[in-house]
Amino acid sequence: MRRISLRNNGIPFLSSFVIRHCCSGIAVTAYSSCHSKNTVKGKHAVHINVEKEVKCLDDAVTLFHRMVRMQPLPSVLLFCKLFKTIVNMKHYSVVVSLFRQVRKLGIPINDFILNIVINSYCLMRRADCAFSVLPIYLKNGIPFDVVTFNTLLRGIFAENKVKDAVELFKKLVRENICEPDQVMYATVMNGLSKRGHTQKILSLLQLMEQGNTKPNIFNYSIVIDALCKDGNLDAAINLLIEMKQKGVPPDIVIYSSLIDGLCKLGQWEKVRILFSEMVNLNIYPDLRTFTIVIDGLCKEGKVEDAEEVMKYMVAKGVQPNIITYSAIMDGYCLCGQLGRARRIFDILIDKGIEPDIVSYNTLINGYCKKKKVAEAMQLLGEISQRGSKPDIITYNTILQGLFEVGRIGAARKIYAEMLLTGPVPDLHTHGTLLNGYFKYGLVEEAMSLFNKFERKREKTSTSIEFYNVVITGLCKNGKLDKARAIFDKLSLIGLLPNARTYNSMINGFCLEGLLDEANDMLRKMEESGCIPNDATYNVFVRGYLRCNKISGMETFMKEMAGRGFSFDSTTTRLLVDIIRENPSVLDMIPTFRFEYKKRNSE
């Protein structure tokens, strides 16, 4: 990893990060506190009101050039104010360009303006440049502060450079470069939490409790939320009790996290107890809390209970929003009650709530699952009429629905519409198209699309699941040689076959009666460390049944019983048909049943 070394104090800083997002809020707060008035008066008593004069980028640049020509120059605080305004416009590169002019002109700078520049670089995905600003602090005798490194840490985490962020944080502590405050701890905790590093968060909390910087409500809320997301509700509730004992009262955010975790586990009695506890502490459920409960009930099929909760929240003066209504719509769709889902959709429109793309997608998915594609297509048209745009989920859902009912021509048109005006098709889009073409025997059309994708493979990401669609489709359509050719080149393009890949190839061999080749593939599967699953054994049993090699099937049946696997519906139907023609197959069934029963009783 390339590093930038600040030799003045011997501190090496990582410089290969590329940042997607950063903590603009912290930087902005710092600057607004240093200069609370909108109007700044220079030494010539010239009034400059940034908010009044700057309405667009051109205004900002014009004002900057006017300011640098003033004699004497306006205060550096005015430049901070202007730069912060440009950041809020999201013109980060302009801030960097104007800062370079500030440096060339020898205009005085301070820590606030440097933090704005670091923030801009991070938001431009150029953390390497953000780190290169640090030597300017040293050259101008400006000390580093917690805001600077907090900005860098958030940016690194946003780019998913967890290891680098942790390394930087440790360096700050170890070399006493900057004393972490509660906000910095929260930044690191939040970054680790989003990547599932709950144990590391707990270690940080323990470090805070043992040190000078004690955890506050925000630190505790991050840890409790992470525990809840892991399903570790007992630990989360114990931490709630612990923080209350230490004099840190919980807030609605913490209770909402706990309620969300309990809802996901279906522990409704504990949800009720927490609600009562909140009210007794004068903490009343807000919109988010109510929506969490409503969504949890809907996912368990208790949609009518969810509607009762919504009526209760309205009675308490909390109005549902589009997310609340979408949760109930989704609940009815999951139960197959599309009429009620549509009723909720119409109610929110009547209330003046504009449906978002999520609510449209929820209803479209419900219609497609019930093969009511005409209604789904009508909703697709409504999206554009209401001034919105279908997203990739909308198109993928519609394509899937069209193929389910055999409307191949309509699916082609939807795909063409995507290419022309819609979102860029993703792997799921192409997988849906390929699966649909193979399903209806359109092998040439499927392979034409696949070959186009192959030519663009180096420029786009791919996955083994995409290739599984092609291999499975070719095998089911009797194109075993083509399937094997694609299988053989997977390692060359850096993809490892998974259980589905091997099962598809084994099934292809079995369908062609090539049991020896199927067994060879099974050996490859096991040698690669990919463990055969129930689908693997079912494929083999069906293969031996079709080839009328009943004796060879017994080995697989015993292995299935030993591993706790059983026949799936397809194998069972085929076995019943075989038994009708050859009742002697039944002689083997008791052995299988005995082994399976023995396995389950141990």
Side-chain angles (χ1 to χ4, degrees):
M1 180 177 293
R2 187 168 61 85
R3 296 173 182 267
I4 293 177
S5 178
L6 303 189
R7 291 189 174 86
N8 289 11
N9 63 355
I11 303 171
F13 286 95
L14 306 175
S15 63
S16 62
F17 308 122
V18 181
I19 309 302
R20 177 177 59 83
H21 190 63
C22 202
C23 61
S24 57
I26 292 178
V28 168
T29 301
Y31 309 132
S32 60
S33 65
C34 78
H35 184 68
S36 59
K37 295 181 179 180
N38 293 335
T39 303
V40 178
K41 187 184 295 185
K43 293 182 181 179
H44 282 306
V46 177
H47 290 274
I48 298 177
N49 188 317
V50 175
E51 289 186 357
K52 184 177 180 181
E53 294 192 31
V54 177
K55 300 300 180 184
C56 63
L57 180 60
D58 286 344
D59 292 342
V61 174
T62 300
L63 178 58
F64 173 81
H65 289 303
R66 180 158 62 91
M67 287 166 58
V68 297
R69 289 195 298 268
M70 290 181 179
Q71 290 296 331
L73 288 167
S75 164
V76 66
L77 297 181
L78 183 57
F79 285 99
C80 290
K81 180 77 175 177
L82 179 60
F83 279 20
K84 188 186 73 172
T85 301
I86 299 172
V87 168
N88 291 339
M89 294 177 178
K90 302 186 187 302
H91 293 293
Y92 314 121
S93 61
V94 175
V95 171
V96 172
S97 177
L98 295 182
F99 176 71
R100 287 174 182 158
Q101 292 188 48
V102 166
R103 296 278 290 156
K104 286 180 181 178
L105 293 169
I107 297 172
I109 57 175
N110 61 9
D111 55 340
F112 300 129
I113 202 165
L114 289 175
N115 284 339
I116 293 176
V117 176
I118 286 175
N119 190 30
S120 299
Y121 272 128
C122 288
L123 292 167
M124 290 167 61
R125 304 176 64 92
R126 291 301 308 270
D128 53 339
C129 294
F131 276 90
S132 71
V133 175
L134 296 180
I136 301 176
Y137 283 80
L138 299 173
K139 186 176 180 180
N140 289 270
I142 300 171
F144 300 131
D145 61 16
V146 71
V147 174
T148 307
F149 291 108
N150 218 4
T151 302
L152 290 167
L153 282 167
R154 285 198 182 186
I156 298 166
F157 272 120
E159 185 62 17
N160 208 27
K161 304 287 186 180
V162 178
K163 185 177 178 181
D164 294 340
V166 171
E167 183 181 341
L168 175 60
F169 177 73
K170 287 180 177 178
K171 184 179 292 294
L172 296 176
V173 176
R174 186 172 58 246
E175 300 184 12
N176 293 318
I177 301 168
C178 177
E179 178 70 26
D181 60 3
Q182 292 166 326
V183 176
M184 182 176 285
Y185 273 107
T187 298
V188 178
M189 286 176 166
N190 192 47
L192 291 170
S193 171
K194 289 179 178 178
R195 281 85 187 172
H197 298 290
T198 305
Q199 286 304 315
K200 291 181 179 179
I201 299 171
L202 288 168
S203 298
L204 273 177
L205 182 66
Q206 187 177 16
L207 182 66
M208 291 185 74
E209 289 171 338
Q210 294 171 352
N212 297 325
T213 305
K214 301 300 180 184
N216 61 13
I217 185 69
F218 301 109
N219 303 116
Y220 279 115
S221 66
I222 293 169
V223 180
I224 288 175
D225 186 63
L227 290 168
C228 290
K229 283 184 168 60
D230 285 351
N232 195 351
L233 269 297
D234 290 338
I237 291 172
N238 288 337
L239 186 56
L240 171 69
I241 296 169
E242 181 184 320
M243 63 177 282
K244 287 195 288 187
Q245 290 173 345
K246 291 182 177 180
V248 182
D251 61 2
I252 186 63
V253 175
I254 286 180
Y255 276 109
S256 294
S257 293
L258 289 164
I259 288 170
D260 185 39
L262 292 170
C263 286
K264 285 182 170 64
L265 296 177
Q267 298 183 12
W268 298 107
E269 181 59 26
K270 289 185 178 180
V271 170
R272 187 190 63 78
I273 292 171
L274 273 184
F275 256 84
S276 299
E277 184 180 311
M278 285 171 59
V279 175
N280 290 336
L281 293 171
N282 291 323
I283 302 172
Y284 295 98
D286 60 8
L287 175 60
R288 179 172 176 265
T289 316
F290 279 118
T291 301
I292 285 169
V293 176
I294 288 170
D295 185 57
L297 288 168
C298 288
K299 282 182 167 55
E300 285 204 1
K302 301 176 180 179
V303 193
E304 292 180 357
D305 291 339
E307 285 217 59
E308 289 301 316
V309 172
M310 188 165 73
K311 289 177 183 177
Y312 175 80
M313 67 182 278
V314 171
K316 293 295 180 181
V318 181
Q319 293 301 318
N321 63 3
I322 187 64
I323 299 173
T324 319
Y325 283 112
S326 293
I328 293 182
M329 284 168 52
D330 188 48
Y332 279 127
C333 287
L334 290 172
C335 296
Q337 300 182 44
L338 294 178
R340 291 191 174 188
R342 180 71 203 211
R343 174 179 62 84
I344 296 295
F345 185 81
D346 293 336
I347 286 173
L348 69 91
I349 293 176
D350 291 342
K351 287 181 175 291
I353 300 173
E354 190 67 27
D356 62 5
I357 196 60
V358 176
S359 55
Y360 274 112
N361 288 345
T362 298
L363 202 52
I364 286 172
N365 184 55
Y367 281 130
C368 287
K369 287 282 177 65
K370 284 290 184 178
K371 298 186 178 182
K372 295 186 175 182
V373 183
E375 289 87 341
M377 293 291 284
Q378 183 179 348
L379 274 176
L380 177 65
E382 285 183 22
I383 295 174
S384 301
Q385 291 171 8
R386 298 187 74 91
S388 187
K389 281 188 175 182
D391 63 8
I392 191 68
I393 296 174
T394 319
Y395 280 108
N396 288 347
T397 305
I398 290 285
L399 283 171
Q400 183 70 40
L402 290 170
F403 278 118
E404 283 293 320
V405 298
R407 293 181 57 182
I408 302 166
R412 289 193 188 103
K413 288 181 181 178
I414 290 293
Y415 180 62
E417 182 181 316
M418 285 184 73
L419 295 176
L420 187 63
T421 61
V424 177
D426 60 7
L427 276 176
H428 185 69
T429 314
H430 290 126
T432 301
L433 284 165
L434 288 170
N435 200 42
Y437 291 152
F438 281 124
K439 180 180 179 179
Y440 295 101
L442 302 173
V443 178
E444 288 187 8
E445 193 164 352
M447 291 309 295
S448 173
L449 179 63
F450 173 70
N451 290 333
K452 287 178 183 177
F453 180 84
E454 278 280 89
R455 287 193 290 271
K456 298 177 181 178
R457 176 166 40 81
E458 293 183 359
K459 298 179 181 179
T460 58
S461 60
T462 187
S463 71
I464 188 61
E465 291 304 328
F466 177 79
Y467 282 86
N468 284 344
V469 172
V470 181
I471 290 170
T472 302
L474 289 170
C475 288
K476 287 183 177 179
N477 282 275
K479 306 294 183 181
L480 193 55
D481 289 342
K482 289 184 178 180
R484 187 160 196 171
I486 293 174
F487 177 87
D488 289 340
K489 78 171 184 179
L490 288 176
S491 60
L492 300 176
I493 60 176
L495 292 176
L496 293 176
N498 59 16
R500 186 185 170 197
T501 322
Y502 283 109
N503 290 345
S504 295
M505 288 303 304
I506 290 169
N507 187 48
F509 288 127
C510 288
L511 288 173
E512 296 294 323
L514 302 172
L515 298 181
D516 290 340
E517 286 83 349
N519 277 288
D520 288 340
M521 187 60 67
L522 177 62
R523 280 190 289 273
K524 284 185 180 179
M525 181 180 188
E526 293 173 328
E527 288 170 0
S528 71
C530 188
I531 301 172
N533 56 21
D534 58 340
T536 315
Y537 286 99
N538 273 282
V539 166
F540 267 107
V541 170
R542 291 198 295 270
Y544 277 96
L545 283 172
R546 290 192 189 97
C547 294
N548 202 27
K549 294 190 177 183
I550 307 302
S551 59
M553 183 183 73
E554 188 172 5
T555 302
F556 285 98
M557 292 175 68
K558 287 181 178 179
E559 283 190 30
M560 285 182 75
R563 298 193 180 203
F565 298 145
S566 58
F567 293 150
D568 60 22
S569 59
T570 305
T571 305
T572 303
R573 285 195 298 270
L574 181 60
L575 185 59
V576 169
D577 292 339
I578 296 291
I579 290 171
R580 286 191 184 125
E581 296 179 7
N582 184 6
S584 64
V585 174
L586 273 173
D587 296 337
M588 248 180 290
I589 301 300
T591 304
F592 173 74
R593 284 179 177 166
F594 174 75
E595 293 288 341
Y596 184 67
K597 187 175 181 181
K598 181 181 176 183
R599 169 76 169 75
N600 285 341
S601 63
E602 290 177 351

